[in-house]
Amino acid sequence: MVDASLSYEILMYLDSFYFGLLALVELGVFSYKMVKLGHRYNATWIMWDVGFLLGTLFLETIRIILGRQGSLSKHSWQVIVSVILIFPCMAGIWYLIYIQKTNIYLEIVLCSLELLLQCVQLFYAAIFSVTACQNRNSYY
């Protein structure tokens, strides 16, 4: 059987690098939009987009730190908080894909991969939380 804790830790480690790359690319894309698409991309939309990106970046950082600490120390409460925080993070990525006024294909592809990675993390976090909450003293 696959060790859910190890799989979850690997996914969290991968996501820590991938989300950092995604945030840097998104900031670059926002500056590109401000320069090239200034006539269609006004300051109100820029503030909404940057606000959602920064909020998602903050929550995703907290989620990754809690998830990695929880999976390494076998504390299920940190993983459960990480699982709860994944839903607002997924909503922020969903905003960047579908609700944003102007999208570039690079954004759509990178954000879709992040959303897929978060869905897989959610699956393994649920398995890890169930196995971590079971009684460790009982033998089958």
Side-chain angles (χ1 to χ4, degrees), residues 120-136:
V120 174
Q121 286 177 11
L122 185 63
F123 174 73
Y124 278 105
I127 293 173
F128 172 67
S129 296
V130 168
T131 58
C133 291
Q134 288 178 348
N135 188 1
R136 299 269 181 204

Side-chain angles (χ1 to χ4, degrees), residues 23 26 65 75 84 90 104:
E26 282 292 329
I65 290 170
H75 289 109
I84 292 169
M90 289 173 98
I104 296 175

Side-chain angles (χ1 to χ4, degrees), residues 17-101:
F17 288 106
Y18 184 76
F19 189 75
L21 171 72
L22 177 67
L24 287 174
V25 168
E26 282 292 329
L27 288 173
V29 167
F30 286 150
S31 22
Y32 171 78
K33 287 178 185 179
M34 288 187 313
V35 171
K36 293 290 184 181
L37 305 173
H39 61 282
R40 290 189 300 155
Y41 202 65
N42 62 15
T44 305
W45 284 104
I46 292 171
M47 294 307 291
W48 274 103
D49 293 349
V50 171
F52 267 94
L53 178 66
L54 292 178
T56 304
L57 178 65
F58 178 72
L59 288 176
E60 184 77 15
T61 303
I62 292 172
R63 185 184 76 79
I64 289 171
I65 290 170
L66 285 176
R68 289 191 68 199
Q69 286 177 351
S71 68
L72 288 175
S73 63
K74 305 287 187 194
H75 289 109
S76 62
W77 71 270
Q78 291 174 329
V79 175
I80 291 171
V81 171
S82 176
V83 169
I84 292 169
L85 285 176
I86 203 167
F87 295 109
C89 293
M90 289 173 98
I93 298 296
W94 184 266
Y95 173 85
L96 292 173
I97 296 173
Y98 293 106
I99 302 173
Q100 199 173 190
K101 183 171 173 73

